[in-house]
């Protein structure tokens, strides 16, 4: 793919090319590579289409009323279990973060009170470094697929991209433990993204009945033997992750609908809502336990419920222009955040390719720099006297709060330390808090904004389970507070409300979702009166940011090489037919094929789907019978369902198998052709492929527009799309379209003239706009 972006014969600089540009090729293969977590690994497409072969039809007809009722009940039972488990993980996650960080801050604060600043710095520095190094070490050595937020990988999976190891027990374990320690290490990272991946892991493991590798299996759970049912469960798990991270059940459902899922239907909406409702009820029960003082240092387990405004909010028409300008700037900042994040991730990839030691050293450098910045900058901020009408005890000593004493004299507090020397959740609470218009200076807020912006960008790429949802909220809230301080008395809005609107604007500018973010912000602040302003801010910031680049998760997916298919087709696809992008060589099987031929083709190719053709003397001309999957062929070879002569005997063959034999295995249970060992006699026998072949595959004529084929491929959720000739000839099938054939890199690599024509159109519009602007 290194020659896919050619403009006038010159290649783009390395920093502008996809991370995997040197590892792709134009030759079509259903097995590609991408960066999943922190490692490069092979990826494949998922079979969201029901594979309707004779064996499937027979198995489906054999199901009775009891089995169908059990199948339906299991869907709801699994949603209940997902909600309870994800709710418990979210609660324990928050509780552990608040107590780990709380112990660190309490010990450091005690040293500060004794004026032992150097010892306080050493404790703060060492604890942060140890926590960061622990999170990165277990990620790099145990489960590299757990690195990052995981939202991009889950979103790609729900679009039809599968990668080994993204939903394993090891990934789940590392995601939970690594997220706790990384967030507790004072890095400007969040736990919302990892919670989405955690929820997806829980849903996937329950859907496949556990993990055979670790001896944790429940046969009564193994009702979901196909990718379609598991996809629905993972959507519910993703929604539960957001609900557990923010206590936002409705927002979680909408986030899964708007950002994560590529396919949606009403029945899935009901189950996702039921899952998030279970999370909300479970968290409410856990909060009651915390209110009794049994949750350690911070009392409420760190559950985000900012409740910024419990009183009524009054705003007037004169405030709308200011909010509009805030949204425009927020959209610009969001696109800048995405741009810089994309560049930093590409730079980190060059470092990470050098090995695990370099990955760990990079994380240690980020931790050291962060600790020095967070501990050192508050010394340069001025101390302020405690307000007489303080909303809480001032100064704050030994716990979270707005009035951090830090190095200040008695009855004084350090405004910058109140923001920096806290967990991200408590910093957001301080920024969102009402009746605190005079507690923070503009200089402190500006410093905090710059720190959060750059530290969040440089921290999100380390080899640890870290997210960027909460850091964007913190950065946006500080930006909103700055606007509130600058506006001052000229507006009826409080500074805390400006912080909420600033957070919404940066979220809209970075993540580009509207409905889900609007509801999440309302559930965070617990006030419906904010709805009109938040709606306007999100719409404006998203529209402004869309002019410059895509949302942050799409940019990360593209940088990692994950072939995500968008809902729309690119304009140049209208100029091509499917015959223009089909590549070979095409491997086909006869309806009754010799074992030797099957073994040879499976060993010499990496394709996952093969057309099955019936040829003379049984028919007058070759006829396409259907398509058979690689996994099914390996299953037939393992079971040795052989025939001594090339005569069909479907009835006896079907009796040798059960539905479990063809059930989709977990992500670590890939069947390999290298594990098959046959004698010379067996190699000379035959296999009847007809009962195991999908006799009704989706097909398109070779003259069909590539854009129309893309819409069909994506909307149905296909893995293989057969291309048949317009005019019947010697071969009944021209080729197979896979996900790789629809990627811009593949298409533009085969047809570079499309790049040049697109570049000419861009130059035309640039010249046109320049003339208009010069005339003005």
């Amino acid at each position: 793919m290194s020659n896919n972006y050619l403009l006038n014969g010159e290649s783009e600089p390395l920093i502008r090319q996809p991370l995997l540009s040197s590892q792709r090729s134009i030759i079509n293969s259903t097995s590609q590579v991408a960066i999943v977590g922190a490692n490069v690994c092979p990826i494949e497409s998922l079979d969201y289409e029901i594979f309707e072969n004779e064996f499937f039809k027979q198995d489906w007809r054999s199901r009775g009323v009891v089995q169908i009722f059990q199948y339906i009940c299991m869907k709801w039972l699994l949603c209940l279990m997902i909600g309870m488990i994800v709710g418990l993980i979210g609660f324990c996650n928050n509780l552990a973060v608040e107590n780990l960080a709380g112990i660190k801050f309490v010990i450091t604060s005690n040293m500060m009170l004794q004026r032992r600043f150097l010892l306080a710095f050493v404790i703060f520095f060492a604890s942060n470094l140890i926590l960061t190094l622990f999170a990165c070490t277990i990620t790099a050595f145990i489960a590299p697929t757990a690195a990052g937020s995981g939202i991009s990988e889950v979103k790609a999976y729900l679009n039809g991209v599968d990668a080994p190891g993204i939903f394993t027990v090891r990934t789940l374990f590392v995601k939970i433990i690594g997220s706790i320690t990384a967030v507790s290490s004072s890095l400007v990272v969040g736990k919302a993204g990892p919670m989405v991946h955690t929820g997806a892991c829980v849903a996937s493991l329950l859907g496949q009945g556990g993990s055979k590798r670790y001896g944790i299996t429940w046969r009564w759970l193994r009702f979901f033997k196909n990718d379609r049912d598991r996809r629905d469960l993972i959507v519910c798990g993703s929604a539960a992750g957001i609900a557990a991270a923010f206590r936002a059940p409705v927002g979680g459902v909408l986030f899964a609908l708007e950002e994560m899922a590529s396919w949606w239907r009403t029945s899935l909406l009901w189950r996702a809502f039921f899952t998030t409702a279970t999370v909300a009820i479970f968290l409410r029960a856990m909060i009651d336990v915390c209110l009794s003082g049994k949750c350690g240092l911070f009392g409420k387990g760190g559950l985000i419920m900012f409740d910024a405004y419990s009183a009524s909010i009054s705003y007037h028409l004169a405030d709308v222009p200011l909010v509009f300008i805030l949204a425009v700037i927020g959209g610009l900042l969001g696109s800048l955040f995405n741009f810089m994040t994309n560049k930093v991730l590409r730079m980190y990839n060059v470092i990470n390719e050098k090995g695990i030691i370099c990955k760990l050293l990079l994380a240690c450098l980020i931790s050291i720099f962060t600790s020095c910045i967070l501990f050192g900058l508050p010394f340069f901020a001025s101390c302020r006297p405690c307000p007489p009408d303080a909303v809480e005890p001032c100064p704050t000593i030994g716990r979270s709060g707005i009035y951090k004493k830090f190095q200040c004299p008695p009855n004084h507090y350090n405004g910058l330390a109140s923001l920096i020397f806290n967990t991200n959740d408590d910093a957001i609470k301080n920024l969102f808090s009402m009746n605190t218009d005079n507690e923070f200076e503009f200089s402190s807020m500006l410093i905090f904004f710059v720190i959060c912006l750059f530290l969040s960008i440089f921290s999100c790429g380390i080899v640890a389970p870290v997210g960027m949802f909460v850091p964007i909220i913190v950065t946006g809230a500080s930006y909103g507070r700055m606007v509130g301080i600058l506006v001052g008395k000229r507006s009826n809005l409080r500074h805390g409300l400006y912080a909420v609107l600033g957070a919404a604007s940066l979220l809209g500018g970075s993540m580009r979702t509207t409905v889900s973010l609007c509801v999440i912000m309302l559930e965070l602040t617990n006030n419906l009166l904010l709805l009109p302003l938040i709606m306007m801010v999100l719409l404006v910031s998203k529209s402004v940011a869309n002019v410059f680049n895509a949302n942050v998760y799409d940019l990360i997916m593209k940088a990692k090489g994950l072939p995500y298919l968008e809902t729309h087709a690119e304009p140049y696809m209208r100029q091509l037919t499917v015959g223009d992008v089909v590549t070979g060589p095409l491997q086909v099987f006869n309806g009754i094929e010799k074992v030797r031929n099957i073994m040879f083709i499976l060993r010499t190719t990496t394709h996952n789907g093969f057309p099955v053709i019936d040829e003379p003397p049984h028919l007058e001309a070759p006829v396409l019978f259907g398509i058979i999957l690689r996994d099914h062929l390996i299953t037939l070879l393992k079971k040795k369902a052989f025939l001594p002569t090339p005569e069909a005997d479907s009835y006896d063959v079907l009796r040798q198998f059960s539905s479990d034999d063809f059930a989709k295995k977990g992500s670590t249970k890939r069947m390999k052709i290298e594990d098959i060992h046959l004698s010379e006699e067996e190699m000379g026998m035959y296999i009847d492929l007809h009962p195991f072949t999908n006799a009704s595959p989706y097909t398109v004529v070779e003259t069909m527009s590539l854009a129309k084929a893309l819409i069909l491929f994506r909307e149905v959720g296909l893995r293989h799309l057969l291309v048949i000739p317009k005019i019947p000839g010697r071969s009944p099938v021209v080729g197979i379209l896979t996900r790789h054939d629809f990627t811009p890199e593949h298409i533009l690599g085969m047809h570079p003239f499309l790049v040049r024509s697109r570049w000419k159109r861009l130059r035309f519009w640039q010249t046109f706009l320049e003339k208009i602007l010069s005339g003005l």
Side-chain angles (χ1 to χ4, degrees):
M1 210 170 68
S2 57
N3 62 337
N4 287 347
Y5 291 93
L6 298 178
L7 298 177
N8 299 326
E10 296 183 9
S11 61
E12 291 186 321
L14 177 63
I15 198 68
R16 296 184 61 189
Q17 294 181 1
L19 295 184
L20 296 176
S21 59
S22 61
Q23 301 186 42
R24 294 285 185 106
S25 66
I26 299 176
I27 301 301
N28 185 17
S29 173
T30 53
S31 180
Q32 302 295 314
V33 292
I35 299 177
V36 180
N39 279 6
V40 176
C41 64
I43 57 173
E44 294 181 358
S45 293
L46 294 166
D47 297 309
Y48 288 151
E49 175 205 7
I50 294 178
F51 204 79
E52 294 182 346
N53 54 22
E54 188 62 35
F55 186 82
F56 167 82
K57 295 176 182 178
Q58 188 180 64
D59 179 65
W60 187 259
R61 288 192 295 263
S62 65
R63 295 187 180 186
V65 177
V66 175
Q67 288 178 303
I68 295 175
F69 179 76
Q70 192 176 10
Y71 171 78
I72 296 173
C73 290
M74 283 303 302
K75 285 186 175 182
W76 291 95
L77 179 60
L78 284 177
C79 289
L80 177 66
M81 295 177 65
I82 292 169
M84 295 181 65
I85 294 174
V86 174
L88 178 62
I89 292 173
F91 174 78
C92 295
N93 191 330
N94 288 309
L95 193 64
V97 167
E98 292 299 320
N99 282 279
L100 274 177
I103 293 173
K104 176 183 65 180
F105 285 127
V106 166
I107 296 176
T108 307
S109 298
N110 290 337
M111 296 297 103
M112 299 285 289
L113 288 174
Q114 300 173 19
R115 315 297 292 180
R116 302 168 69 180
F117 298 128
L118 181 58
L119 181 58
F121 172 72
V122 171
I123 293 173
F124 183 72
F125 169 86
S127 58
N128 288 343
L129 184 60
I130 292 172
L131 289 170
T132 302
L133 191 58
F134 177 78
C136 295
T137 301
I138 63 173
T139 304
F141 284 99
I142 300 177
T145 52
S149 71
I151 289 182
S152 298
E153 284 80 357
V154 177
K155 184 176 179 180
Y157 180 91
L158 295 176
N159 189 257
V161 180
D162 190 18
I166 58 174
F167 297 133
T168 62
V169 173
R170 288 195 301 176
T171 301
L172 176 62
F173 170 79
V174 172
K175 204 75 182 184
I176 297 172
I177 304 300
S179 175
I180 291 172
T181 51
V183 175
S184 302
S185 67
S186 292
L187 293 174
V188 186
V189 296
K191 53 185 179 289
M195 275 304 303
V196 173
H197 194 178
T198 299
C201 285
V202 171
S204 178
L205 289 171
L206 288 177
Q208 66 190 35
S211 173
K212 285 186 177 181
R213 181 174 184 177
Y214 298 98
I216 309 172
T217 57
W218 300 275
R219 187 174 181 83
W220 57 277
L221 283 177
R222 297 183 62 189
F223 274 85
F224 304 102
K225 306 168 184 177
N226 56 75
D227 291 325
R228 176 175 293 193
D229 286 328
R230 291 181 189 172
R231 175 191 68 188
D232 293 348
L233 286 176
I234 289 172
V235 169
C236 295
S238 303
I242 288 292
F246 294 118
R247 273 183 61 196
V250 180
V253 174
L254 293 176
F255 185 81
L257 166 62
E258 188 175 8
E259 179 65 24
M260 303 299 296
S262 296
W263 294 274
W264 197 266
R265 58 187 186 279
T266 305
S267 60
L268 181 57
L269 175 66
W270 296 346
R271 279 187 280 148
F273 186 74
F274 174 70
T275 307
T276 57
T278 304
V279 173
I281 294 171
F282 190 87
L283 289 180
R284 181 69 260 177
M286 292 295 100
I287 290 174
D288 291 340
V289 176
C290 284
L291 291 177
S292 62
K294 299 179 181 179
C295 288
L297 293 173
F298 281 38
K300 293 185 179 180
L303 291 167
I304 298 178
M305 188 65 175
F306 300 124
D307 199 9
Y309 293 93
S310 57
S312 60
I313 301 168
S314 61
Y315 50 88
H316 305 285
L317 189 61
D319 299 318
V320 174
L322 291 174
V323 175
F324 183 86
I325 295 173
L326 178 145
V328 171
I329 299 176
L332 296 173
L333 290 174
S335 62
L336 176 64
F337 178 90
N338 293 0
F339 173 80
M340 295 180 64
T341 299
N342 189 32
K343 297 301 181 184
V344 168
L345 288 178
R346 293 175 181 273
M347 180 179 65
Y348 280 7
N349 180 69
V350 177
I351 299 174
N352 292 337
E353 286 179 347
K354 300 183 183 298
I356 292 179
I357 300 299
C358 291
K359 297 177 182 179
L360 299 180
L361 286 176
L362 176 62
C364 290
L365 288 175
I366 297 295
S367 176
I368 293 170
F369 180 75
T370 301
S371 297
C372 294
I373 290 292
L374 298 185
F375 193 89
L377 283 180
F379 283 97
F380 297 96
S382 60
C383 296
R384 307 188 69 187
C386 292
D389 55 346
V391 295
E392 61 181 52
C394 181
T396 302
I397 298 175
R399 61 182 179 85
S400 60
I402 299 177
Y403 307 103
K404 286 284 187 178
K405 187 175 184 296
F406 208 67
Q407 89 291 5
C408 295
N411 297 323
H412 286 71
Y413 73 97
N414 189 317
L416 184 57
S418 300
L419 299 173
I420 287 181
F421 222 61
N422 257 326
T423 62
N424 290 333
D425 294 353
D426 289 305
I428 296 174
K429 291 177 183 177
N430 294 342
L431 291 168
F432 282 8
S433 58
M434 59 182 178
N435 301 323
T436 56
D437 288 3
N438 300 317
E439 269 68 4
F440 301 104
E441 296 178 333
F442 179 79
S443 58
S444 297
M445 201 58 59
L446 177 62
I447 293 172
F448 184 67
F449 167 73
V450 175
I451 290 173
C452 288
L453 179 63
F454 286 97
L455 288 184
S456 61
I457 291 172
F458 284 94
S459 299
C460 68
I462 65 172
V463 187
V466 295
M468 56 181 66
F469 212 117
V470 172
I472 292 175
I473 295 178
V474 177
T475 307
S478 59
Y479 154 67
R481 272 270 180 175
M482 281 197 306
V483 174
I485 295 173
L486 288 175
V487 172
K489 300 296 183 180
R490 291 186 291 275
S491 173
N492 297 302
L493 305 180
R494 295 292 186 91
H495 295 179
L497 177 55
Y498 272 111
V500 174
L501 298 177
S505 69
L506 197 59
L507 283 171
S510 177
M511 298 188 176
R512 313 293 164 81
T513 54
T514 52
V515 179
S516 59
L517 285 179
C518 182
V519 175
I520 288 173
M521 294 301 296
L522 291 178
E523 290 181 295
L524 287 180
T525 55
N526 199 26
N527 198 314
L528 195 60
L529 296 174
L530 298 174
L531 179 61
L533 292 179
I534 292 179
M535 288 175 64
M536 185 186 76
V537 165
L538 287 171
L539 287 171
V540 173
S541 61
K542 171 183 167 63
S543 301
V544 170
N546 278 340
V547 175
F548 301 98
N549 48 35
N551 77 66
V552 65
Y553 297 125
D554 287 351
L555 290 176
I556 292 174
M557 280 194 298
K558 184 176 181 181
K560 287 188 172 186
L562 295 168
Y564 184 88
L565 296 183
E566 298 288 350
T567 55
H568 61 277
E570 295 290 342
Y572 59 79
M573 291 186 179
R574 301 286 179 187
Q575 306 176 36
L576 300 173
T577 64
V578 294
D580 296 327
V581 298
V582 168
T583 56
L586 180 65
Q587 302 290 348
V588 300
F589 289 121
N590 292 317
I592 301 178
E593 186 63 77
K594 182 171 283 192
V595 174
R596 188 186 308 276
N597 295 338
I598 297 176
M599 290 288 292
F600 175 78
I601 292 177
L602 292 182
R603 284 175 176 172
T604 55
T605 66
T606 58
H607 302 315
N608 288 292
F610 302 91
V612 176
I613 295 175
D614 283 332
E615 295 183 331
H618 302 288
L619 299 170
E620 295 181 359
V623 175
L624 174 65
F625 183 80
I627 186 171
I628 190 167
L629 298 180
R630 182 186 192 89
D631 288 346
H632 293 182
L633 288 171
I634 295 177
T635 300
L636 295 175
L637 293 172
K638 279 188 174 182
K639 287 282 188 175
K640 298 185 178 180
F642 304 150
L643 301 173
T645 59
E647 299 294 333
D649 190 4
S650 301
Y651 180 75
D652 289 338
V653 170
L654 289 174
R655 288 191 302 173
Q656 300 179 35
F657 297 93
S658 66
S659 58
D660 288 337
D661 293 325
F662 295 96
K664 182 66 181 280
K665 304 297 188 295
S667 57
T668 59
K669 302 296 181 182
R670 302 291 184 189
M671 295 182 289
K672 298 181 180 179
I673 189 61
E674 291 77 15
D675 300 330
I676 305 295
H677 302 285
L678 301 175
S679 65
E680 189 64 28
E681 180 183 358
E682 291 171 332
M683 294 284 278
M685 301 179 77
Y686 298 86
I687 297 180
D688 185 4
L689 302 181
H690 292 100
F692 310 98
T693 300
N694 182 3
S696 56
Y698 284 90
T699 60
V700 293
V701 182
E702 60 181 338
T703 56
M704 175 183 280
S705 163
L706 186 62
K708 291 180 66 176
L710 170 63
I711 295 172
L712 173 65
F713 190 93
R714 188 188 187 280
E715 292 302 320
V716 181
L718 300 178
R719 184 179 188 180
H720 303 102
L721 183 59
L722 296 179
V723 181
I724 59 177
K726 178 74 172 179
I727 301 175
R730 295 181 60 186
S731 176
V733 58
V734 175
I736 299 180
L737 286 175
T738 63
R739 176 175 296 267
H740 174 60
D741 294 305
F742 293 103
T743 58
E745 293 80 14
H746 173 72
I747 298 170
L748 299 178
M750 293 184 65
H751 305 282
F753 70 91
L754 293 173
V755 184
R756 290 192 288 269
S757 62
R758 186 170 61 171
W759 178 253
K760 290 179 181 178
R761 288 196 299 272
L762 291 174
R763 291 293 301 271
F764 168 78
W765 286 110
Q766 181 182 1
T767 306
F768 179 72
L769 291 174
E770 287 176 353
K771 290 181 179 180
I772 293 178
L773 293 175
S774 62
L776 296 176

